[in-house]
Amino acid sequence: MTDAFIYDAVRTPRGRGKPDGSLHEVSTLGLATTALRAIRERNHLDTQLVDDVILGCVDPVGEAGGDIARASALTAGYGNHVPGVQINRFCASGLDAVNFAAAQVMSGQHDMAVGGGVESMSRVGIGASGGAWPVDPAIAIPSYFMPQGVSADLIATKYGFSRDDVDAYAVESQKRAGRAWAEGRFARSVVPVKDINGLTILARDEHLRPATDMQSLAALKASFVMMGEQGGFDAVAIQAHPEVETINHVHHAGNSSGIVDGAAAVLIGNAESGKAAGLKPRAKIRAFANIGSDPALMLTGPVDVTKKLLKRAGMSIADMDLIEVNEAFAAVVLRFLQAFDVSMDKVNVNGGAIALGHPLGATGAMILGTALDELERSGKSTALITLCIGAGMGTATIIERV
């Protein structure tokens, strides 16, 4: 198969996903256009070379609907010949978009493509697209549907993570993200969002709170007690996993991923298209995989898909110099660390979604770019990027510097 190389990766800063967030005034189209235009302009890219644009978007309705990838390719100046397609695999949509672009190149059907994602959580709103899974008994009952926060608390309970454990992890995420910004580790990839007059609206992630400590987190009440106890979802969790007697609710806003707006784009191509564009590859897509996992635990997919991917690639976890595990909830990463007995020194070294936020459809592409930048900064070779997914799934990708 043809090698798929990464030629560039960009992202917008993450804006607070609320009406008072800096990116609330920017449309979903505007966010996606910013990322795609940055790929085109900073690489002096002849878009005649681009065969497709694939963008993840978890709630593709309203302004985010109607194939946001095609619309943003046009507004970003890619030309009428460049098609676009929107995909949705919940939280892994952005990474899957990159993987889809890589698959197009690997198969030889396309020479160059852009993968990425976008989500304006302040304007469209999480869950705006609806769906059968939470409301139709035909799927909700057999899959033991429960809100993700309750599933995260089920994971914490089942695998023995205390409130102090998840809070300590959250504090470390904030510290690492603060250090990364202070040291300029995101400078290569973050492109500012500007208004129609060219004035900068936001140039820096605005969700992080690097001064967070255990005392400030201790003051926060667990967020999912009412859903679990009064809403009946604790009973659902125990029915799905009867080895658990009671649910210990430990997650709250401070140790869960932040609701934010943002977009990302990754330029993927074969060697010939890169030469034609005058670009040098930064990394190669080594392998990728998807998997279904326990829909009740829901968020343990990164463990399952990593096992699958490592076996497929003929590699071990020790071969990974860096690992990005999306911080949907602190227990997700703690379970990954526990399952692979891997050191925190190589996992989410620049913080993650607890500190920086999780713009659903864009996050996968964002953290792939974060891993790529860190490989280059640290002189390391190989990284694994993985995310948990609603309804019990996982996606993972291995990249190698070239």
Side-chain angles (χ1 to χ4, degrees):
M1 295 180 69
T2 302
D3 284 335
F5 295 101
I6 302 172
Y7 288 99
D8 202 9
V10 303
R11 70 170 177 91
T12 68
R14 296 164 169 97
R16 286 192 306 273
K18 297 180 179 180
D20 63 351
S22 295
L23 296 182
H24 178 64
E25 66 183 87
V26 183
S27 68
T28 306
L29 177 63
L31 292 175
T33 298
T34 297
L36 292 179
R37 183 182 291 127
I39 286 285
R40 177 178 66 82
E41 291 182 347
R42 73 188 212 159
N43 293 290
H44 307 288
L45 181 64
D46 177 2
T47 59
Q48 290 289 336
L49 298 169
V50 178
D51 294 305
D52 206 358
V53 171
I54 306 131
L55 294 183
C57 185
V58 174
D59 283 297
V61 296
E63 68 176 47
D67 192 352
I68 194 67
R70 169 62 170 167
S72 54
L74 291 171
T75 54
Y78 278 55
N80 294 344
H81 68 285
V82 180
V85 61
Q86 173 270 324
I87 67 168
N88 179 13
R89 201 192 299 271
F90 297 148
C91 297
S93 299
L95 185 58
D96 251 331
V98 175
N99 292 343
F100 283 21
Q104 291 175 341
V105 171
M106 288 174 169
S107 68
Q109 303 308 302
H110 287 167
D111 296 320
M112 181 172 280
V114 178
V118 63
E119 209 79 43
S120 179
M121 300 181 76
S122 71
R123 293 172 64 93
V124 178
I126 189 170
S129 58
W133 172 44
V135 297
D136 189 334
I139 179 61
I141 293 174
S143 65
Y144 298 99
F145 170 79
M146 66 190 85
Q148 286 194 356
V150 179
S151 287
D153 288 338
L154 171 60
I155 292 169
T157 304
K158 180 177 173 66
Y159 293 103
F161 308 131
S162 68
R163 172 68 183 259
D164 281 350
D165 292 334
V166 291
D167 282 358
Y169 180 84
V171 169
E172 184 63 20
S173 178
Q174 294 281 2
K175 287 182 179 178
R176 292 182 176 194
R179 180 189 64 199
W181 266 109
E183 295 180 358
R185 297 189 184 187
F186 300 136
R188 179 168 185 173
S189 294
V190 175
V191 295
V193 179
K194 299 183 178 181
D195 65 16
I196 59 173
N197 297 312
L199 300 176
T200 296
I201 297 172
L202 186 66
R204 179 184 174 91
D205 296 319
E206 66 175 349
H207 182 270
L208 72 163
R209 297 179 177 85
T212 298
D213 56 24
M214 292 293 286
Q215 289 72 30
S216 61
L217 292 185
L220 300 177
K221 294 182 179 179
S223 297
F224 306 104
V225 175
M226 184 172 295
M227 287 182 183
E229 295 179 357
Q230 298 181 25
F233 289 109
D234 280 4
V236 175
I238 293 167
Q239 185 179 27
H241 285 269
E243 70 277 12
V244 175
E245 295 183 1
T246 59
I247 304 301
N248 182 22
H249 291 283
V250 296
H251 287 94
H252 50 74
N255 57 35
S256 306
S257 55
I259 296 173
V260 294
D261 305 330
V266 181
L267 181 61
I268 304 288
N270 58 26
E272 291 73 21
S273 66
K275 290 178 182 178
L279 301 174
K280 293 183 179 180
R282 297 174 61 187
K284 179 174 71 174
I285 303 285
R286 170 71 181 261
F288 51 85
N290 301 94
I291 203 168
S293 59
D294 183 332
L297 284 176
M298 194 187 308
L299 308 173
T300 53
V303 173
D304 300 324
V305 75
T306 296
K307 291 177 180 178
K308 177 180 179 178
L309 181 57
L310 291 174
K311 182 178 180 180
R312 174 171 293 175
M315 304 176 80
S316 72
I317 199 71
D319 294 322
M320 302 300 114
D321 297 312
L322 296 171
I323 301 171
E324 288 284 329
V325 183
N326 187 39
E327 295 174 354
F329 299 88
V332 173
V333 186
L334 292 177
R335 173 55 189 151
F336 186 95
L337 293 167
Q338 181 188 67
F340 292 102
D341 192 25
V342 65
S343 170
M344 271 283 289
D345 292 342
K346 61 169 63 178
V347 177
N348 298 350
V349 299
N350 292 320
I354 290 172
L356 298 169
H358 177 20
L360 304 178
T363 304
M366 285 186 169
I367 64 175
L368 181 142
T370 297
L372 175 58
D373 286 344
E374 183 62 20
L375 285 177
E376 293 174 337
R377 189 197 70 81
S378 61
K380 295 177 180 177
S381 172
T382 307
L384 170 77
I385 301 96
T386 185
L387 301 94
C388 59
I389 309 173
M393 294 182 283
T395 296
T397 303
I398 296 171
I399 64 173
E400 291 181 348
R401 284 179 63 215
V402 295

